[in-house]
Amino acid sequence: MNSELRDLKWALVASRHRSLRQAAETLNTRQSTLSRRLHDLECELGVDLFERTTGGTKLTPVGREFLDLARPLVDEADRLFLTFKTRRNGGRRPLRIGICSSLSAGNLRETLAELRRQIADADILLVDGAKEGLLGELVAGAIDVAILTSGGGRWNDRVLPLWGERVVVAVPEHHPLNNRPAIKWRELCDNRILLTRSGVDSELEQLLSVKAGGSDSLRISYQDVSLDRLLSLVGAGYGVAPLLEGAVGFVCPGVAHRELHGDCGQMRLQFAAYWKETNGSPMLQPFLDLLRARYPDLSVSATSD
């Protein structure tokens, strides 16, 4: 990996930890080496990516913008190296599946478990991301298939309708909303809402925004963290977090889950499989066949498959 790509990767790790010491430990390098490489990168770009304080290191607004653009490049480079290392070592290329929701429970988890049961040597590579980014990865051939929410986005190739997932809300255990059998979206909007900028959170935000008459009326706190850390914030009382039911298998102390209901009952998001007709992965067809077998009522109604 050349130095520029390495520096980008190191900067991304530093942005996640917000501590150069912890980031250096993760990268198995010296803190002084990491600090010097980040400084050299900033000098090359002519901007400050990080704000360094006694309390730690955090991204500047310019740094956040830059690394948001750099992250897909680094992720794709990692996948490229992994793919060709696998081939070099005599292995079969894994089926690269783009996902935008949690695997801790639900249909996607069960589908992948069934794939493994049917094909003992099945090998997959999961790629996490938001919908538009994963559709772009499909176009570029960086992934083979994506399991995403239905509708929206620009896609003119193959689509297979799949399941629907309920929208649930993670709430602190002692929060008044935990006493409700289900939470109405109006009740949710009276609380601070914790969201990330990845996965399905942008679509959940859009759903709530439509209900609330605009995002300006929502008290949203964006967090650049993974699901486990987001739920930890919920358990600590910093807000509530809308999720899909596939995330309820992740248990976090002090956090409960309640269904989110609209005026007509359960709020749900529908999912579909997206792929390119020209994709030649040998594992793609068995995976699609499994999806059709598990969800036959949806498969036969697919007009674009």
Side-chain angles (χ1 to χ4, degrees):
M1 184 177 295
N2 62 40
S3 59
E4 289 84 0
L5 189 57
R6 180 199 60 191
D7 291 348
L8 289 178
K9 189 168 186 176
W10 284 19
L12 286 167
V13 173
S15 72
R16 289 198 298 269
H17 286 279
R18 296 185 174 86
S19 163
L20 290 187
R21 179 184 60 79
Q22 294 177 2
E25 290 176 357
T26 299
L27 293 166
N28 194 27
T29 190
R30 294 180 179 179
Q31 181 176 338
S32 59
T33 301
L34 173 60
S35 179
R36 183 174 64 254
R37 295 309 308 170
L38 294 179
H39 177 72
D40 289 347
L41 178 60
E42 290 175 319
C43 289
E44 184 176 352
L45 295 172
V47 296
D48 290 330
L49 300 177
F50 293 91
E51 179 183 346
R52 298 160 175 84
T53 68
T54 55
T57 303
K58 65 178 182 179
L59 286 172
T60 64
V62 174
R64 182 177 299 278
E65 180 183 3
F66 175 76
L67 290 182
D68 281 346
L69 295 173
R71 185 175 291 106
L73 301 176
V74 174
D75 290 345
E76 173 56 20
D78 285 343
R79 286 192 288 274
L80 180 64
F81 279 111
L82 177 61
T83 296
F84 280 87
K85 282 182 180 179
T86 301
R87 292 183 183 178
R88 182 193 65 194
N89 295 331
R92 181 172 58 185
R93 193 190 78 179
L95 179 67
R96 301 164 299 177
I97 307 173
I99 61 172
C100 65
S101 61
S102 173
L103 282 172
S104 63
N107 289 306
L108 182 53
R109 178 189 173 96
E110 290 303 315
T111 298
L112 293 178
E114 180 63 25
L115 178 67
R116 186 69 173 180
R117 286 190 290 268
Q118 291 187 12
I119 306 176
D121 63 344
D123 191 12
I124 63 171
L125 173 64
L126 296 182
V127 179
D128 200 4
K131 184 172 184 176
E132 287 298 328
L134 290 174
L135 288 177
E137 301 243 347
L138 275 177
V139 171
I143 57 177
D144 302 306
V145 61
I147 309 298
L148 307 171
T149 52
S150 302
R154 292 171 289 181
W155 185 251
N156 299 315
D157 217 314
R158 309 304 290 274
V159 180
L160 178 66
L162 298 174
W163 56 80
E165 286 195 23
R166 296 171 298 154
V167 181
V168 300
V169 184
V171 299
E173 199 170 46
H174 301 295
H175 195 286
L177 290 178
N178 193 27
N179 298 323
R180 310 276 202 279
I183 299 174
K184 299 288 187 181
W185 68 266
R186 294 182 185 85
E187 297 172 318
L188 178 66
C189 293
D190 292 333
N191 294 268
R192 180 182 289 109
I193 300 172
L194 304 179
L195 291 172
T196 69
R197 297 183 185 273
S198 61
V200 298
D201 279 20
S202 60
E203 290 161 90
L204 291 173
E205 179 185 354
Q206 185 178 17
L207 178 65
L208 293 175
S209 176
V210 170
K211 292 290 186 180
S215 57
D216 292 341
S217 59
L218 299 174
R219 296 168 56 199
I220 296 177
S221 175
Y222 296 104
Q223 304 293 325
D224 187 18
V225 295
S226 57
L227 176 61
D228 61 330
R229 291 174 173 82
L230 187 73
L231 291 179
S232 294
L233 287 177
V234 172
Y238 281 87
V240 301
L243 310 164
L244 291 181
E245 63 180 293
V248 301
F250 188 91
V251 178
C252 183
V255 176
H257 297 91
R258 290 290 178 266
E259 283 189 5
L260 182 62
H261 283 201
D263 298 331
C264 300
Q266 291 179 348
M267 298 181 73
R268 305 177 70 90
L269 288 181
Q270 297 300 128
F271 279 77
Y274 297 75
W275 75 99
K276 291 175 67 175
E277 174 69 23
T278 56
N279 185 283
S281 169
M283 282 294 297
L284 177 58
Q285 195 56 52
F287 182 66
L288 295 174
D289 290 343
L290 174 59
L291 290 174
R292 293 188 180 97
R294 288 181 64 88
Y295 309 99
D297 293 339
L298 295 170
S299 300
V300 297
S301 64
T303 58
S304 54
D305 178 39

